[in-house]
Amino acid sequence: MKHCQNRHSRGFTVIELLTVASCLSVLSALILPAIQDARSAALRTKCQNNLKSVALAMHNYHDVYNGFPPGWISRYRDAESEGGFGWQARLLPYVEQAPLYSKLEMNHPMTEPEGLLTESVNVYLCPADTDAPKTNPYRGGYGTSSYSGSLGTIAPNRWIDGRVEAYWPGAVTTYAALLRQGRPGKKTEEDKQLPGPASLPEAMLGSPDGIFGWNISVRMRDISDGSSNTLMAGERSRMSGWGIWPGTGSNRFETDVVTDVSFQSPLNQSLTGFSSAHPGGLFVALCDGSVRFLSDEVDSRPEGGVLQFLGTRNGNEVITGNPFPQ
């Protein structure tokens, strides 16, 4: 009769376990950065595609109305005017949001932030900006946008960024009011008390020098600097209070929907400038429909650098070199 011999499997020794653990740690250290880089690249691509959709929507809007949408529309130009719908609200049918657009009363002043005006519109949100809330607590509680239109090189007439200034006493003359004073036509008594055209920057007379402004529709033929050399829109993150897609709370809050590229508004460094969650710079859409990555280190000067040249649509500046090295 044969006897069965019990076989006992030998376990791992402490040294073997430590060796395996060390190998796994090394592999994790090598793999995790690659995974993070891949995720970051995917988020950058998604953000770039969002802005590309916005740029395409702008051109489709232009084809229909023979001009880009106004930055925002308001019947009045005083600081405490009623809110007005902005350019992103008018683009909704062209970014696959026609049902939302059809429910908005676009021919009326913008109402208080509730209902449809607090909805999230995914194409207006940068996926890398994970801090972005559904509604913007810095701008009245309307639906948040990670993108803002280019106002140009002339900063709004503010002590400090509009929504922050709301908590300070008094009101500074609005950008819309200054534009009104610079335009020909009948002036009210209040208009006559505003700074005269001689005291305004030349670029401010009649219209801003960017793509978006108050009650202004810029056409492609107005962009004499060339569509590939002119900013259309860019990113805006927590650094500068994000933006909102419906429009402006009032003329006092121009920066709800537009951003300037003056020397006083450096990229990723100010409440008033463009900013992003991407390291090293931000994505911008140009008027030719392309989307490029603009470095934080782009030349910017009080007398006009590359950033300021990109911000004007008709400044006749010459941009040398490639401002978009990436």
Side-chain angles (χ1 to χ4, degrees), residues 21-207:
S22 298
C23 291
L24 291 174
S25 297
V26 172
L27 286 173
S28 298
L30 294 173
I31 293 173
L32 284 178
I35 294 175
Q36 291 172 345
D37 288 345
R39 182 176 183 275
S40 177
L43 294 176
R44 281 169 57 100
T45 298
K46 175 60 176 173
C47 177
Q48 187 175 12
N49 289 340
N50 282 351
L51 263 180
K52 183 69 176 178
S53 296
V54 169
L56 178 61
M58 285 281 288
H59 280 269
N60 288 337
Y61 183 100
H62 190 289
D63 289 343
V64 174
Y65 295 101
N66 195 32
F68 293 130
W72 76 100
I73 289 180
S74 176
R75 290 179 294 179
Y76 307 103
R77 71 337 175 229
D78 58 285
E80 304 305 330
S81 65
E82 55 202 6
F85 283 101
W87 65 275
Q88 291 178 82
R90 298 180 188 281
L91 287 187
L92 288 174
Y94 305 95
V95 291
E96 300 184 357
Q97 293 291 331
L100 174 58
Y101 177 84
S102 66
K103 296 176 183 178
L104 299 176
E105 296 185 21
M106 299 294 294
N107 294 325
H108 297 275
M110 199 169 74
T111 60
E112 292 299 310
E114 58 185 9
L116 298 174
L117 301 185
T118 64
E119 290 293 321
S120 289
V121 179
N122 288 336
V123 74
Y124 292 153
L125 293 171
C126 171
D129 195 358
T130 54
D131 290 335
K134 176 183 177 182
T135 57
N136 192 337
Y138 303 129
R139 298 189 180 277
Y142 294 94
T144 301
S145 175
S146 300
Y147 306 110
S148 185
S150 175
L151 179 67
T153 62
I154 308 301
N157 191 39
R158 290 281 165 268
W159 290 113
I160 195 168
D161 185 44
R163 287 289 181 169
V164 179
E165 189 190 61
Y167 300 100
W168 291 50
V172 179
T173 303
T174 66
Y175 189 81
L178 292 175
L179 291 180
R180 174 71 176 85
Q181 177 67 4
R183 292 175 180 169
K186 185 177 179 180
K187 305 290 194 300
T188 66
E189 287 302 315
E190 187 176 355
D191 286 329
K192 296 175 183 178
Q193 302 303 314
L194 297 173
S199 66
L200 300 179
E202 183 178 352
M204 186 179 275
L205 300 182
S207 67

Side-chain angles (χ1 to χ4, degrees), residues 14 16-17 39 48 88-89 103 135 141 148 156 158 175 194 214 234-235 239 244 259 274 299 307:
V14 173
E16 289 172 331
L17 289 174
R39 182 176 183 275
Q48 187 175 12
Q88 291 178 82
K103 296 176 183 178
T135 57
S148 185
R158 290 281 165 268
Y175 189 81
L194 297 173
W214 170 67
E235 294 187 77
M239 167 66 70
I244 54 177
T259 300
F274 287 109
D299 177 44
L307 179 61

